[in-house]
Amino acid sequence: MTARILVVDDVEPNVRLLEAKLTLEYYEVLTAMDGATALEIAAAERPDIILLDVMMPGMDGFETCKRLKADPVTRHIPVVLVTALDGREDKIKGLGAGADDFVTKPIDDVILFARVKSLVRLKAVMDELREREESGRRLGVDADGAGRLRGSGGRVLIVDDNELQAEKMVTHLGGEHRPVVETDPAAALIAGRGPIDLMIVNVSSSGFDGLRFVAQARSSEASRRTPILAVVDPADRPRLLKALELGVNDILPRPVDSEELMARARTQIRRKRYADFLKEKLDYSLEMAVTDALTGLHNRRYMAGQLQAMVGRAAQGGDPVAVLVMDIDHFKVVNDSFGHDAGDEVLREFAVRLATNVRAIDLPCRFGGEEFVVVMPGATLEAASRVADRIRRDIEAQPFPIMGGAEGLTITVSIGVAASIAGDTPEALLKRGDEGVYEAKSQGRNQVISRAA
């Protein structure tokens, strides 16, 4: 997977060396010699990764990273701090500024490329979610779920049979998060199917194969997107690289430093919640794309797609399909006499009564205005007619409350019923149902008319 990488360093030989190494690996490379230029290029070019030197005159790497993460345009770009400093304080400071990872000079090429590939995979997923969410927003579909982004604390599953190390992590995480320890990897995989915000896995465990656990977690649909923080001895390069290759999100070196643990856990949980937030908005957008906003029933677009598939299966010898086409009687009078708000109340109550009188497998839909359609897979004309009459009787049985319940209106409905026949099309089926509605209205309304062909 290729990517566009912005390299930021005030020392030109360092820039050129990194540029050459990355270019050989088929990455597209952008360069900047100071923090201010890096901010401009990042905002204009939107690279996939930023490799940012810490020690620069003027605006150092920490401040540059902080500004990148504060800008909505660039905050989603992963930042890897490149530093000659391997001190604990600098790591904590960098993570606090929003850095996603660190590499130290002299740069280990294998480690660098492994970390870059891991972050590129992560950014590709996040970008896809953000693009789909933005598409929904442009269509006017939005969901309010930002409250979770501001929440503190997370559910952390620690998979470790090193009792002393696990207890230490629980102690440090317990003040902010809700950590639990699982020493058995099989039990941990089951626990990981639950609502977990972060897994911390000791991949250097002597009691179980931590790398195999990571692979199993990543192959499970339930835990595939759960961030994993791998605890590993930094001197064990093969294990560290394999963990990154298998898809862990971050590395926590042994012995575990409490402040670094807290900073890395906080970063991963914050990122997980943002991904969840985007996914929830995407799911909401997809739902709203096929849902009528006023009644909560499926809309005409969804109905058309489902009916097309069912009629096609029926034409090939599959189960038949029936439709109920219905039109609320004298609905224009409701709007003219009581206003459109009262009309909306009637439509919402009609949708409730409709949905409660059809089978679980049926698809009640709002076709448009005061017209509704129910698609009934596997139903014969006779069975559909019985359901239609049940709906008709329930609609007229009780007055519809309007004006907040201050008034009640007697509402009736005319229904046309049609069932699929050989050579049918969705349009022909709906047309027969619509002809039934027209006939019902011409005969005095509040009737069910079945059209066999």
Side-chain angles (χ1 to χ4, degrees), residues 30 39 68 72 106 143 147 173 198 200 235 307 407 430:
L30 308 169
L39 294 175
L68 285 166
L173 291 170
L198 173 66
I200 301 178
L307 184 59
E407 297 280 349
L430 288 171

Side-chain angles (χ1 to χ4, degrees), residues 74-191:
T74 57
R75 68 172 50 147
H76 310 294
I77 303 172
V79 175
V80 179
L81 290 180
V82 182
T83 176
L85 306 172
D86 199 18
R88 167 179 177 273
E89 293 79 9
D90 294 294
K91 282 188 177 181
I92 303 302
K93 185 177 180 181
L95 288 166
D100 295 88
D101 215 330
F102 289 85
V103 292
T104 56
K105 297 176 182 177
I107 294 174
D108 183 317
D109 293 355
V110 178
I111 295 291
L112 171 64
F113 293 135
R115 291 186 180 274
V116 165
K117 288 175 183 175
S118 175
L119 289 171
V120 167
R121 285 197 303 267
L122 173 67
K123 185 172 184 292
V125 172
M126 297 292 282
D127 282 351
E128 182 175 357
L129 285 173
R130 288 174 56 233
E131 286 171 9
R132 292 184 180 182
E133 185 272 330
E134 177 64 19
S135 296
R137 191 190 63 77
R138 285 196 299 268
L139 291 170
V141 179
D142 202 0
D144 183 13
R148 292 194 69 243
L149 296 177
R150 296 187 290 271
S152 61
R155 293 152 296 193
V156 181
L157 175 62
I158 300 171
V159 188
D160 194 348
D161 60 353
N162 183 327
E163 185 176 338
L164 188 62
Q165 180 172 268
E167 286 181 0
K168 180 180 178 182
M169 288 191 284
V170 168
T171 299
H172 294 304
L173 291 170
E176 182 177 343
H177 306 285
R178 298 183 297 283
V180 294
V181 177
E182 184 53 71
T183 59
D184 177 16
L189 283 172
I190 295 173

